[in-house]
């Protein structure tokens, strides 16, 4: 008689698959919780006052097509939304920056919208959830985030007529602002090692140079995903094709009366 397979008969690949599934569930739950926290922050965000909104529209006319919000629960500016595009600023930041600095900050966030960084960032997070077991993927993901920020920095700096110091000072002003506890899950800025990231961004702003990092990051990410897909598919195949264990029934003990 064929009985159900014992738990120990799953084998190494079967247990690896179960561990992967548990990791996906935990990371997906954390990601969903972050999205809900993000929506809560955005619901409580307030429109900029009329004077500040007019100033921003004068500096960057393209912002007229976006919603401009501010909140005291963000530590740095953030771009959000796909159809309903928004730029969210920390409370008081616009008044603390001069025109050149504020213009650069707005153009940086606007660049995230024009580059369609939000859906790409969302896809990146989903890939990290599925292939969480690959340590090199997390490193490459950090490099992609840094490349994304530097690309927006460069695009925004082109409007500064050659003087990039306002961009660097604006970055420092944001970094020196008050710390907030709330966190927007998909705010399009690098959240890993902020001090090192800030130094790298300022250095590239003041000393621009061509970089092939984006191409290397994309190629490396594709290679890692291919390797991860192969390993995952092998584990699933091994689990599905595993034959049940044939267990012999125990011998009956016959007592003589």
């Amino acid at each position: 008689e064929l009985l159900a397979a014992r738990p120990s008969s799953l084998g190494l690949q079967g247990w690896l698959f179960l561990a992967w599934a548990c990791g996906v569930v935990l990371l997906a739950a954390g990601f969903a919780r972050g999205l809900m926290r993000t929506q809560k922050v955005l619901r409580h965000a307030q429109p900029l006052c009329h004077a500040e909104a007019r100033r921003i529209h004068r500096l960057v006319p393209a912002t007229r097509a976006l919603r401009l919000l501010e909140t005291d629960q963000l530590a740095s500016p953030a771009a959000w939304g796909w159809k309903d595009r928004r730029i969210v600023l920390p409370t008081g930041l616009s008044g603390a920056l001069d025109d050149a600095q504020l213009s650069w900050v707005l153009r940086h966030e606007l660049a995230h919208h024009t580059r369609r960084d939000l859906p790409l960032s969302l896809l990146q997070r989903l890939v990290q959830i599925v292939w969480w077991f690959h340590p090199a993927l997390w490193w490459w993901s950090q490099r992609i985030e840094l490349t994304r920020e530097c690309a927006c920095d460069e695009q925004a700096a082109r409007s500064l007529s050659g003087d990039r110091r306002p961009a660097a000072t604006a970055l420092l002003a944001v970094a020196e602002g008050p710390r907030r506890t709330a966190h927007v899950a998909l705010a399009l800025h690098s959240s890993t090692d902020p001090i090192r990231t800030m130094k790298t961004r300022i250095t590239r702003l003041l000393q621009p140079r061509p970089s092939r990092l984006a191409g290397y990051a994309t190629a490396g990410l594709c290679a890692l995903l291919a390797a991860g897909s192969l390993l995952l598919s092998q584990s699933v195949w091994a689990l599905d094709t595993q034959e049940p264990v044939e267990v012999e029934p125990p011998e009956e003990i016959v007592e003589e009366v």
Side-chain angles (χ1 to χ4, degrees):
E1 183 180 355
L2 295 179
L3 302 179
R6 296 175 181 174
S8 59
S9 66
L10 286 176
L12 177 60
Q13 290 182 323
W15 287 112
L16 287 177
F17 174 78
L18 292 179
W20 168 82
C22 291
V24 169
V25 171
L26 291 175
L27 290 175
F31 182 66
R33 186 171 61 251
L35 285 177
M36 290 187 293
R37 187 165 58 245
T38 297
Q39 293 300 330
K40 181 179 179 180
V41 170
L42 293 176
R43 280 197 305 267
H44 290 85
Q46 299 295 323
L48 285 175
C49 67
H50 185 64
E52 286 298 328
R54 283 200 310 170
R55 177 191 176 203
I56 288 175
H57 294 159
R58 174 177 57 83
L59 293 173
V60 186
T63 57
R64 296 179 184 274
L66 286 76
R67 292 173 59 193
L68 301 174
L69 305 174
E70 64 177 357
T71 176
D72 59 357
Q73 299 187 57
L74 279 183
S76 61
W80 184 262
W82 193 350
K83 294 182 179 179
D84 181 17
R85 300 188 301 169
R86 285 158 282 182
I87 292 178
V88 190
L89 301 176
T91 300
L93 178 65
S94 59
L97 302 177
D98 60 31
D99 286 354
Q101 293 171 329
L102 182 58
S103 175
W104 181 85
V105 169
L106 295 169
R107 292 179 187 278
H108 173 96
E109 300 304 328
L110 189 61
H112 281 306
H113 282 299
T114 57
R115 286 164 41 89
R116 301 293 190 270
D117 280 340
L118 183 62
L120 293 178
S121 181
L122 176 62
L123 177 62
Q124 179 182 336
R125 265 59 170 190
L126 295 178
V127 167
Q128 284 179 292
I129 291 174
V130 176
W131 283 274
W132 63 266
F133 56 88
H134 208 311
L137 175 64
W138 294 87
W139 183 83
W140 278 107
S141 182
Q142 294 175 18
R143 304 302 295 176
I144 291 174
E145 287 184 358
L146 177 59
T147 303
R148 181 188 298 128
E149 291 303 312
C150 290
C152 291
D153 289 344
E154 179 65 26
Q155 184 171 331
R158 294 170 187 167
S159 64
L160 296 177
S161 303
D163 185 6
R164 293 169 174 254
R165 286 175 296 178
T169 55
L171 272 177
L172 291 175
V174 171
E176 293 172 355
R179 299 292 94 192
R180 272 80 172 187
T181 56
H183 172 64
V184 172
L186 287 182
L188 297 179
H189 59 82
S190 177
S191 57
T192 55
D193 199 356
I195 296 179
R196 183 177 181 180
T197 298
M198 188 67 65
K199 290 181 178 179
T200 302
R201 292 175 63 184
I202 292 176
T203 300
R204 293 190 180 184
L205 275 171
L206 298 179
Q207 300 175 1
R209 56 184 176 82
S211 174
R212 298 179 181 178
L213 181 58
Y216 293 154
T218 303
L221 180 60
C222 291
L224 290 175
L225 293 182
S229 300
L230 180 61
L231 178 60
L232 185 59
S233 62
Q234 286 180 344
S235 298
V236 175
W237 177 83
L239 190 61
D240 290 340
T241 58
Q242 190 171 20
E243 298 180 356
V245 177
E246 186 173 335
V247 181
E248 295 292 339
E251 296 181 358
E252 297 181 356
I253 299 177
V254 179
E255 296 184 355
E256 295 182 358
V257 180

